[in-house]
Amino acid sequence: MRAAVLEEFGTPMVLKEIEKPVAGPGQVLVRIEASGVNPLDLKISAGQAAHAERTLPAVLGLDLAGVVEQVGEGVTGFAPGDEVYGMTGGVGDLQGSLAQYAAVDARLLAPKPASLDMREAAALPLVAITAWEGLVDRAQVRAGHKVLMHGGAGGVGHVGIQIARARGAEVFGTDAPHRLKAVEEFGATAIDFTAETPQEYTERLTGGEGFDVVYDTVGGPVLDASFAIARTYTGHVLSSLGWGTHSIAPLSFRGATYSGVFTLAPMLTGRGREHHGEILREITALADSGRLRPLLDPRRFGLADVAHAHAAVADGTATGKVVVGIDH
C-alpha cells in the first residue's frame, strides 16, 4: 500500500510502498478514505512532541474516516463495508492514517455519521474527543451553565461550542477579529480578545460572577487568565494545553477547580480506549440530529500533498480543519 512515511524529524515525508497490514485480534482493517490534520501532527513531524512517544520511521496521522475491509478475531459490532471514523494512530507504536490502510483497535472506532462525508468525518475525532472529555466528562456541562471557549473558531473550540449548546449551556467564544463571524455562526456570543481584557468581558457578560466553565485551547497566558475568571466556588477551568509553569493561586482564591485533558492517553497506555469509541458514537448522534458539523478548509490535498496540507495549518491560512484525501 502507499503511505506517507516520516523517516527523520523535521524533514518532508516520503511517499512509499509499504506492507499492507492485516487485522489482528481485536482489530479492524480500515480502507482509509480521509485523514484529518491537527496541529499536533505538525509538532510530531517536527520532533517537538515527546509526549506522543513516536519512533521513526513512522506513518503519521491521528484521525481517519474510511470503510471496514476486514474484521479481526473477537471483534463484534463491525462488519466489512461499514463506514467508520476514529482517532486511531500516529502516536506511540500505532500506525497513522496517512496511508491507504490501517489495522486499528476496534475500541477506538465508531460508525461514521451518515450525514457527513468522509472528509467531514475525518476532521472530527481528535477535536471532538478533546472537547467532550473536558466539557462532559470533567465539567459535566448542562443547562444553566455559562461556558467560555477560548479559541472558539479553532478545531476544539468550534466543536466544543456545539457540544455545550447541545447540552443546554449558554456559550461564549474568544478569538481574533477575523474569526469572530465563525464563532457566531456556531451559536456562541463572540468575544474579541484584542478589544477587551478577560476581566472586562467577564464583568460585562457575567456581572463579575465569572464563567461556570472556561475551556482553554490556547495555553500559556490564556490559561493563566482563565484561572481568574472562573465562577467563585463552582467554576471549572479546563485545558488541553496545560504545559509550562502556572500559578494556581488565582483559581485557589476563588475556590474553583481545574482539569487537564490529555486525549492521547488511551492510545499510548491502552487503557480506556473503549471510551473514545463511546464518545464518537455520541458525536455521530449529534451530527446526524443536525446539532454538530465540522468547519472544513475547502482546499483538497492528497497523499502526495501532505507537506502542503501541513503548511496550510502551520501558516494560519486554513479556514477550518484541513483534511488529506487518500486515493486508492
Side-chain angles (χ1 to χ4, degrees):
M1 68 173 183
R2 289 194 306 279
V5 180
L6 182 68
E7 297 182 325
E8 186 176 342
F9 291 122
T11 65
M13 293 179 216
V14 180
L15 195 58
K16 301 180 69 172
E17 288 283 338
I18 65 173
E19 187 175 352
K20 178 181 173 181
V22 175
Q27 291 185 325
V28 169
L29 180 66
V30 179
R31 185 178 78 243
I32 302 170
E33 301 292 337
S35 170
V37 181
N38 296 282
L40 178 56
D41 292 304
L42 278 63
K43 293 177 183 177
I44 295 172
S45 178
Q48 298 170 352
H51 61 286
E53 302 178 14
R54 183 81 271 197
T55 55
L56 301 184
V59 177
L60 304 189
L62 295 149
D63 294 335
L64 64 75
V67 180
V68 173
E69 180 157 296
Q70 179 189 25
V71 174
E73 181 184 348
V75 173
T76 59
F78 295 108
D82 288 350
E83 295 187 338
V84 294
Y85 73 140
M87 181 176 70
T88 59
V91 298
D93 60 356
L94 304 176
Q95 182 210 302
S97 55
L98 289 172
Q100 291 179 307
Y101 298 89
V104 305
D105 190 325
R107 294 174 294 173
L108 296 169
L109 291 172
K112 181 187 77 66
S115 58
L116 302 181
D117 65 26
M118 288 291 183
R119 295 180 70 246
E120 291 170 323
L124 279 174
L126 180 143
V127 295
I129 292 169
T130 303
W132 187 279
E133 286 188 344
L135 294 169
V136 182
D137 292 346
R138 311 288 200 279
Q140 299 174 356
V141 165
R142 57 190 179 274
H145 278 172
K146 287 191 172 185
V147 175
L148 176 66
M149 293 293 308
H150 283 302
V156 175
H158 86 283
V159 173
I161 286 171
Q162 295 174 84
I163 290 173
R165 289 192 72 241
R167 295 178 69 83
E170 182 182 5
V171 190
F172 307 82
T174 65
D175 222 306
H178 69 284
R179 291 158 64 97
L180 297 180
K181 182 179 179 183
V183 172
E184 292 173 344
E185 287 176 347
F186 286 105
T189 298
I191 302 169
D192 179 355
F193 69 75
T194 69
E196 288 181 288
T197 67
Q199 288 70 28
E200 287 171 342
Y201 62 70
T202 301
E203 178 67 34
R204 176 171 63 85
L205 297 168
T206 74
E209 292 294 318
F211 296 91
D212 297 286
V213 179
V214 183
Y215 202 145
D216 159 48
T217 68
V218 182
V222 175
L223 179 53
D224 290 318
S226 300
F227 290 151
I229 60 175
R231 182 180 290 275
T232 301
Y233 299 136
T234 58
H236 200 142
V237 176
L238 310 159
S239 182
S240 56
L241 288 170
W243 318 134
T245 301
H246 299 271
S247 171
I248 63 169
L251 189 72
S252 298
F253 290 142
R254 301 179 80 85
T257 55
Y258 168 78
S259 294
V261 178
F262 185 44
T263 314
L264 302 185
M267 290 199 295
L268 294 172
T269 66
R271 298 192 299 272
R273 289 183 177 180
E274 61 280 346
H275 186 47
H276 279 191
E278 293 165 358
I279 291 171
L280 289 177
R281 283 175 168 80
E282 297 279 1
I283 297 300
T284 292
L286 285 177
D288 285 343
S289 68
R291 291 180 289 172
L292 188 148
R293 61 183 175 87
L295 179 64
L296 258 63
D297 187 271
R299 288 171 289 184
R300 291 182 175 266
F301 302 95
L303 266 182
D305 311 312
V306 171
H308 298 298
H310 279 206
V313 175
D315 64 19
T317 61
T319 55
K321 287 294 299 290
V322 171
V323 175
V324 174
I326 311 297
D327 297 324
H328 288 266

